[in-house]
């Protein structure tokens, strides 16, 4: 079963607009990460937020984490056509005994020029 | 610096055939992983190796075997391929357990 579920499944915006993607998860976590995947390529790490952090920034990316709601959001500001990709959240669950990340099903972002 | 290298990039098999997907990393990472990606399902963990000499089952290990040949290399074997194993397979590695993962470019497998 998927630990993380992204919402929406697909998002289409105009260049310059902001894009917000959400991730919900089921069990307590050590950290949550966001990855990007361009079509036909491997995943690339974007940002990691630990369970004791509430917000983190990296360039045009802003990630929030609400452990009480078991949810996270990824905000991409001033989007560009080059941001077109799929975005995945991944969690490091505390109590599975498995030392590996669990990925959600992703949000496909299309940025129109 | 190549990062994580997977071979082959593409493969077509017939049902019942066997094959091995190879993965190598040059970042001196301890942990390596095999995931499969199917449309609409994200990535699912097949097997992982937390350190050289150890391997553990993930979420979907049935029909697969792995070998951690040395610190650099982690292979995935399909002994008797089935159409349900048609997928894109990704190898990943990290220096810290459940830290940032570095992914290969994927191996696209079709089983007829």
């Amino acid at each position: 079963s998927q630990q993380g579920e992204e919402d929406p499944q697909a998002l289409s915006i105009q260049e310059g607009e902001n894009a917000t993607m959400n991730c919900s998860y089921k069990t307590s976590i050590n950290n949550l990460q966001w990855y990007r995947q361009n079509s036909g390529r491997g995943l690339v790490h974007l940002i990691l937020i630990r369970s004791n952090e509430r917000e983190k920034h990296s360039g045009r990316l802003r990630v929030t984490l609400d452990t009480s709601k078991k949810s996270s959001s990824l905000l991409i500001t001033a989007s560009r056509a080059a941001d077109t990709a799929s975005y995945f959240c991944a969690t490091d669950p505390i109590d599975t005994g498995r030392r590996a990340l669990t990925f959600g099903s992703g949000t496909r972002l299309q940025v129109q020029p | 610096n190549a990062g994580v290298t997977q071979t082959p990039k593409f493969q077509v098999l017939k049902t019942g055939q066997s094959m091995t997907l190879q993965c190598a990393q040059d970042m001196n990472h301890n942990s390596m992983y095999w995931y499969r990606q199917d449309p609409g399902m994200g990535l699912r963990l097949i097997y992982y190796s937390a350190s050289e000499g150890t391997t553990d089952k993930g979420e979907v290990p049935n029909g697969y075997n792995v070998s951690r040949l040395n610190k650099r290399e982690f292979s995935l074997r399909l002994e008797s391929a089935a159409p349900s194993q048609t997928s894109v397979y990704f190898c990943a590695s990290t220096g810290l357990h459940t830290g940032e993962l570095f992914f290969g470019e994927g191996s696209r497998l079709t089983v007829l």
Side-chain angles (χ1 to χ4, degrees), chain B residues 30-82:
Chain B
N30 289 318
S31 302
M32 298 185 73
Y33 307 82
W34 278 105
Y35 287 90
R36 62 177 285 175
Q37 184 176 34
D38 301 296
M41 297 198 67
L43 276 73
R44 291 182 292 169
L45 181 67
I46 305 171
Y47 270 94
Y48 69 103
S49 172
S51 60
E52 187 178 355
T54 69
T55 60
D56 286 284
K57 294 179 180 179
E59 183 184 355
V60 288
N62 291 344
Y64 304 95
N65 285 300
V66 291
S67 296
R68 182 76 182 265
L69 304 170
N70 47 56
K71 191 170 186 179
R72 290 187 65 246
E73 298 172 287
F74 188 38
S75 63
L76 178 71
R77 183 161 178 83
L78 287 69
E79 291 291 352
S80 179

Side-chain angles (χ1 to χ4, degrees), chain A residues 48-66:
Chain A
L48 181 154
I49 186 165
R50 302 190 189 283
S51 60
N52 61 352
E53 298 175 309
R54 292 296 168 259
E55 187 170 312
K56 205 162 183 180
H57 297 255
S58 177
R60 293 184 296 112
L61 305 181
R62 172 178 169 252
V63 169
T64 61
L65 178 64
D66 187 333

Side-chain angles (χ1 to χ4, degrees), chain A residues 1 35 37 40-41 92 101, chain B residues 35 37 59 98 101 105 108:
Chain A
S1 63
Y35 288 79
Q37 183 182 34
R41 305 296 299 273
D92 170 22
L101 297 180
Chain B
Y35 287 90
Q37 184 176 34
E59 183 184 355
T98 64
L101 287 181
E105 289 296 302
R108 285 145 184 84

